Amino acid sequence: MAGKVFFSVTMSLDGFMAPENVPFEDVFSPQGQSDPQVRRWLAKWSELQAWVFPTRFFRENLKFGEGGEEGTDNDVARATFERTGVSVMGRRMFDAGEQSWPEEAPFHTPVFVVTHTPRDPWERPGGTTFHFVDDGIESALDQAREAAGDRDVRISGGAETIQQYLDAGLVDEFSITLAPVLFGTGIRLFDHVDPDRLALTQARSDASSRVTHLTYTTAKR
């Protein structure tokens, strides 16, 4: 099994990968979206992710039609998708996505969901099947590796799931797209990760007119 385990996220300049916590059921419900706090969350999230929306790959993958920008950001988005043979995510991320993803979910690979609640596999059009793993992050990763073969396994999120895999020393490399926005508060990417257990080496840096893409390899100290 030659594939790597990686994650790729967008982060604000002050270190947050998501705005302050609001219930996902509020974010994706018509009633919740009338709440000023939810509207503020959506505005911040959209500002954070604004680099990817105009890209040709984003439009193709979400079936928004032809066109879109090419260049560094598009290349990074496409390369991240193409290297991914399987995704792993936490249950909260899945619950939010179940409400917001289109019928043809944007993964097009097997997805292993780390959860405490058993559930039968959920197959979607376009090649995405969600498998629910209720016996821990290592079991989910073992199953994901087997399904991925020689392709890479992406830890999709959310923050807590990424932190658990990082702290367990199970991540080979990661990429951060650093966006020029400030949140002030929110969900920090590296909260709860023990810095004494993790050594990083910068492997690559690519800048566009909107963001900077940073790639690091990891090793245990």
Side-chain angles (χ1 to χ4, degrees):
M1 297 184 183
K4 295 179 179 179
V5 179
F6 80 103
F7 67 84
S8 179
V9 298
T10 305
M11 187 173 76
S12 70
L13 194 59
D14 52 350
F16 299 97
M17 62 175 289
E20 66 275 7
N21 261 324
V22 299
F24 283 127
E25 58 268 22
D26 290 349
V27 172
F28 298 106
S29 71
Q31 297 84 0
Q33 289 176 23
S34 64
D35 186 318
Q37 185 180 14
V38 173
R39 291 202 301 269
R40 187 165 56 250
W41 191 99
L42 287 168
K44 286 185 174 182
W45 177 256
S46 297
E47 187 178 7
L48 183 70
Q49 304 294 342
W51 68 274
V52 76
F53 298 148
T55 63
R56 176 183 290 273
F57 170 76
F58 180 84
R59 292 182 57 80
E60 289 175 353
N61 194 35
L62 273 296
K63 299 189 182 303
F64 289 161
E66 298 180 355
E69 297 179 4
E70 299 191 11
T72 298
D73 294 338
N74 184 69
D75 292 346
V76 168
R78 187 178 298 278
T80 300
F81 177 84
E82 290 179 347
R83 69 180 289 191
T84 301
V86 171
S87 292
V88 176
M89 69 179 59
R91 183 60 187 256
R92 292 188 70 230
M93 180 177 179
F94 170 79
D95 287 344
E98 188 176 18
Q99 299 178 61
S100 61
W101 291 320
E103 183 181 12
E104 187 173 316
F107 300 96
H108 310 293
T109 68
V111 179
F112 289 84
V113 181
V114 181
T115 179
H116 297 294
T117 306
R119 175 172 167 176
D120 291 335
W122 187 43
E123 185 175 352
R124 310 302 298 145
T128 301
T129 299
F130 295 93
H131 304 271
F132 300 87
V133 182
D134 62 354
D135 55 349
I137 63 169
E138 294 192 17
S139 175
L141 182 56
D142 287 343
Q143 295 178 58
R145 283 185 183 276
E146 184 174 355
D150 60 357
R151 297 183 69 193
D152 294 337
V153 175
R154 181 181 183 181
I155 311 300
S156 296
E160 183 178 345
T161 301
I162 289 173
Q163 290 160 5
Q164 288 176 0
Y165 278 102
L166 265 179
D167 213 34
L170 297 172
V171 174
D172 299 310
E173 68 176 46
F174 62 86
S175 296
I176 293 173
T177 295
L178 194 62
V181 299
L182 300 173
F183 280 1
T185 61
I187 301 172
R188 289 192 179 276
L189 176 58
F190 296 108
D191 272 358
H192 313 301
V193 175
D194 185 351
D196 294 330
R197 300 176 60 183
L198 190 65
L200 305 178
T201 301
Q202 183 164 313
R204 184 169 176 173
S205 174
D206 299 286
S208 72
S209 61
R210 290 188 174 93
V211 292
T212 300
H213 305 280
L214 303 170
T215 300
Y216 300 88
T217 58
T218 69
K220 294 181 180 179
R221 289 188 183 276

